[in-house]
Each structure stands twice: as structure tokens, then as C-alpha cells.
Amino acid sequence: MNDSNQMIQAGCAAAVITPPAGAQMAGYFKPRTVRRVRDDLYARALALGTGREALLIVSCDLIAMPAEIADA
């Protein structure tokens, strides 16, 4: 099979990453903690590949992420 006829494989996943009650919330000028959950937060991923090459797109419902977590 030549490269122009190669199949693309795809996969997706999602995981709830909502912090528990009492966790510190980012994005405020004073310390605030989670009191209740109105909507869950998610990490979502889409993977596309041909067997030789792959692309992974990850989306997280976050303001920021430490580099050591993103790098892993």
C-alpha cells in the first residue's frame, strides 16, 4: 500500500478532572476554595495516526497547568 492509501486511525477519550470540595481555585485575587460543583471540568483527547506518524490534541478545562504535568 502506498502512502496515499494509508488508513488513518482515530481515538478519543475524556476524563473528569473536577477538584474536590475544599480545593483552592485559581484565577482570583484572594484565596477561594471550591464549595460546590455546578459543572464538571474535563480533560479531553483526540488521537489520530497512520501507524508511522501520530497527532495528539489535548484540551483541559483549566486556567493554567504546571510544566511538569504538561510535559508528562
Side-chain angles (χ1 to χ4, degrees):
M1 175 182 333
N2 64 34
D3 286 343
S4 64
N5 292 329
Q6 196 163 27
M7 296 290 289
I8 294 176
Q9 296 176 320
C12 62
V16 175
I17 59 170
T18 306
Q24 291 289 321
M25 292 191 291
Y28 294 93
F29 294 107
K30 59 183 180 178
R32 289 187 58 188
T33 57
V34 175
R35 289 183 289 161
R36 64 180 178 83
V37 174
R38 185 179 71 188
D39 298 308
D40 279 324
L41 303 177
Y42 286 89
R44 295 176 177 92
L46 171 66
L48 302 171
T50 62
R52 291 187 3 202
E53 297 179 310
L55 170 69
L56 178 62
I57 300 170
V58 178
S59 169
C60 296
D61 296 337
L62 300 172
I63 291 176
M65 180 184 305
E68 59 271 8
I69 293 174
D71 290 345

